[in-house]
Amino acid sequence: MRLSLIILIGFFTSAMVSQQSITLQECYDLATVNYPLAKQSDLLAMQNKLEKEVVSNAKLPQLSFDAQATYQSDVIEVPIPNSNIEPLKKDQYRATLSVNQLIYNGGATEASLGVKSSQLKTRQKQVEVNLYQLKQKINQLYFSILLAQETHLLLKAKQEQLQAKLSEVKSGIKYGVILPASDKVLEAELLKLKQQLIEVKSNKTSLIETLSSVIGQPLNASAIFQNTLLETVPKTELNRPELELFQLKKDEIESNDALIAKQNAPKLLGFASGGYGNPGLNMLDNSFQAFYTVGIKLNWNVFDWNSNKKQRESLSINKDIIDTETETFKLNTNIELNQQQNEIEKLEAFITSDLEIITLRKEVLKSADSQLKNGVITSSVYITELTNLFEDENTLVKHKIQLQLAKANYNINKGH
């Protein structure tokens, strides 16, 4: 007895583990993590870190090595008779190591780092926007699966009802209450139901496989998709990531504007150069010698024909363009929200009407059931009334799923 109990518990536990259950929100969360595009956020961060390091290297000493060997067709000679000054050799050699150190550049390096930070935020937000827009596709797949799931349950219920009715009809035929061959009509309908069940199952499996690929999570064909009732958010401001992206693009433009403003700032550099060659700095010493040079250099682009000013004006126009894109996005989104709100109200009215129709259909079927038992009507008439009830129940299910889909899309468009 104890062994049997242990086996039963083990079987039950195994069944519970294998039975998957998933919600719409879990699909959103899984797609955000597992969809291939999601990896770009970390890759962009790694790339930005390297780019910032390159920019920061401008603050470090810059080393350069140069070596050359030349042969000249002529050299400088001292035009003094009997001076005993040896003329320079036509073959000359020189190797130098130079060091340049940036001392001041008007904050251009910090401005460049600011541009890189702004670019990272914009690119990562673009990834977030693309992933957010994926939710519409998830909605369509998820609620299509729900519809297939609910349709399958209705078909099974109709199948069970027909099988029960088939037993009653066979008994009625046996005792001569119901006409012969009435059971054949029911058996044919059961075969058609079997075909419909196969079709619904096949469609559901295909949809689940597609959703599994999108969210990066394996899903069983027998997985249960939770039909959680959704409510639309109250009338509030849009909270879409696209609006944040527009603002980040403007911030990036301002960062570029700050960088351009510093491009004409004076730049002060320190430099040192040491080398070995023939001749050295003393051109009259015709021998290999070491030499060095140290100094400070100032570079200032005083006049650039208003190029800097025009670049900043161009950036200002870009900000205006982004403002128009923002307004266009808000307008189109609000139009979609109004359409979806109308769709929600229409479906709610349909559902109310569906419930009334189903109540009437059940009364008709109840009467048909009684008439079939008494041999007043044929099985075909009964099946017609049963099919009418099933189709109306299926319509109700479809409207309920469509309502949930409309609400989910409304919330996604609203940004909640």
Side-chain angles (χ1 to χ4, degrees):
M1 179 67 180
R2 183 178 180 183
L3 179 60
S4 299
L5 183 60
I6 293 174
I7 293 174
L8 182 61
I9 292 173
F11 176 78
F12 179 75
T13 304
S14 175
M16 288 295 291
V17 170
S18 63
Q19 184 70 58
Q20 280 184 310
S21 178
I22 194 166
T23 65
L24 180 61
Q25 185 59 49
E26 287 172 349
C27 288
Y28 292 159
D29 296 339
L30 287 168
T32 303
V33 176
N34 297 328
Y35 198 68
L37 185 65
K39 299 176 184 177
Q40 282 193 9
S41 187
D42 290 336
L43 292 174
L44 288 171
M46 293 168 59
Q47 182 186 52
N48 189 261
K49 181 182 178 182
L50 294 173
E51 291 175 350
K52 279 188 170 183
E53 289 176 356
V54 172
V55 173
S56 297
N57 286 343
K59 298 180 180 180
L60 301 176
Q62 308 297 310
L63 299 176
S64 62
F65 176 76
D66 183 56
Q68 67 178 26
T70 61
Y71 182 86
Q72 302 176 195
S73 61
D74 200 2
V75 293
I76 297 175
E77 294 182 1
V78 179
I80 301 176
N82 304 319
S83 61
N84 296 324
I85 298 175
E86 183 181 354
L88 293 174
K89 294 181 179 180
K90 292 184 178 181
D91 57 317
Q92 299 182 3
Y93 309 90
R94 172 170 293 197
T96 58
L97 179 66
S98 301
V99 180
N100 289 281
Q101 175 64 59
L102 177 65
I103 299 173
Y104 175 77
N105 66 351
T109 302
E110 288 72 18
S112 295
L113 291 173
V115 169
K116 294 298 180 184
S117 296
S118 296
Q119 288 175 345
L120 175 61
K121 292 177 181 178
T122 302
R123 292 171 182 173
Q124 288 182 328
K125 183 59 68 173
Q126 182 64 64
V127 173
E128 182 183 335
V129 166
N130 293 339
L131 289 173
Y132 189 85
Q133 292 172 348
L134 188 65
K135 291 182 177 181
Q136 295 274 6
K137 183 175 182 179
I138 292 174
N139 284 349
Q140 194 65 46
L141 288 169
Y142 190 91
F143 288 104
S144 294
I145 293 170
L146 269 183
L147 180 58
Q149 183 174 279
E150 297 298 322
T151 301
H152 184 269
L153 292 175
L154 280 176
L155 286 170
K156 292 294 290 184
K158 183 180 179 182
Q159 185 182 52
E160 291 174 3
Q161 190 169 352
L162 279 174
Q163 286 173 340
K165 187 55 59 182
L166 178 60
S167 298
E168 292 180 7
V169 168
K170 284 184 176 181
S171 177
I173 293 173
K174 181 179 179 181
Y175 293 103
V177 179
I178 299 177
L179 294 173
S182 295
D183 56 336
K184 304 303 180 185
V185 177
L186 293 173
E187 287 174 354
E189 188 67 20
L190 282 169
L191 288 173
K192 289 170 63 177
L193 270 176
K194 188 176 180 181
Q195 290 179 338
Q196 291 173 0
L197 283 166
I198 292 172
E199 184 178 6
V200 169
K201 183 179 179 181
S202 176
N203 291 339
K204 181 183 176 184
T205 300
S206 178
L207 290 166
I208 289 175
E209 288 174 354
T210 304
L211 180 61
S212 177
S213 298
V214 173
I215 66 176
Q217 178 78 15
L219 294 171
N220 297 329
S222 59
I224 301 299
F225 291 78
Q226 299 298 325
N227 189 7
T228 307
L229 294 179
L230 299 175
E231 294 297 332
T232 54
V233 294
K235 291 186 177 180
T236 56
E237 291 295 322
L238 294 177
N239 190 29
R240 292 283 293 272
E242 288 90 341
L243 297 177
E244 297 176 28
L245 177 61
F246 290 135
Q247 183 57 50
L248 287 174
K249 285 182 177 180
K250 292 175 68 175
D251 293 342
E252 184 179 339
I253 289 173
E254 290 177 358
S255 298
N256 279 290
D257 183 77
L259 176 60
I260 292 173
K262 297 179 183 299
Q263 285 181 345
N264 287 344
K267 297 177 179 61
L268 184 65
L269 299 95
F271 64 90
S273 178
Y276 186 74
N278 180 9
L281 295 181
N282 184 358
M283 299 295 295
L284 300 179
D285 188 347
N286 195 16
S287 65
F288 281 91
Q289 53 191 286
F291 58 87
Y292 71 90
T293 304
V294 295
I296 293 178
K297 180 171 65 176
L298 178 67
N299 185 311
W300 190 4
N301 187 10
V302 179
F303 185 69
D304 66 350
W305 301 97
N306 285 330
S307 295
N308 191 284
K309 180 181 178 181
K310 291 175 182 177
Q311 284 180 307
R312 297 179 70 183
E313 288 176 352
S314 176
L315 289 177
S316 179
I317 293 173
N318 279 341
K319 289 178 69 175
D320 293 337
I321 291 173
I322 292 174
D323 284 335
T324 61
E325 290 176 350
T326 304
E327 292 305 313
T328 302
F329 175 79
K330 287 181 177 179
L331 176 63
N332 291 336
T333 303
N334 283 321
I335 290 173
E336 288 182 15
L337 287 171
N338 287 334
Q339 291 174 344
Q340 288 168 344
Q341 183 61 45
N342 291 334
E343 180 71 11
I344 289 170
E345 292 173 358
K346 180 187 74 175
L347 289 169
E348 287 175 341
F350 281 173
I351 290 171
T352 301
S353 179
D354 289 338
L355 292 171
E356 295 175 357
I357 293 171
I358 289 172
T359 300
L360 295 173
R361 288 291 187 194
K362 285 181 177 179
E363 292 295 326
V364 173
L365 182 62
K366 184 178 179 181
S367 175
D369 181 53
S370 176
Q371 289 174 343
L372 178 62
K373 290 178 181 179
N374 295 315
V376 177
I377 62 173
T378 63
S379 297
S380 298
V381 176
Y382 174 81
I383 288 175
T384 300
E385 296 302 333
L386 179 62
T387 301
N388 288 338
L389 174 60
F390 167 77
E391 289 178 352
D392 290 331
E393 288 178 334
N394 195 41
T395 300
L396 173 62
V397 167
K398 187 183 294 185
H399 286 158
K400 285 184 175 180
I401 298 298
Q402 288 174 342
L403 177 61
Q404 293 299 95
L405 174 59
K407 287 182 176 181
N409 286 337
Y410 181 92
N411 289 340
I412 294 299
N413 275 333
K414 198 73 174 176
H416 295 275

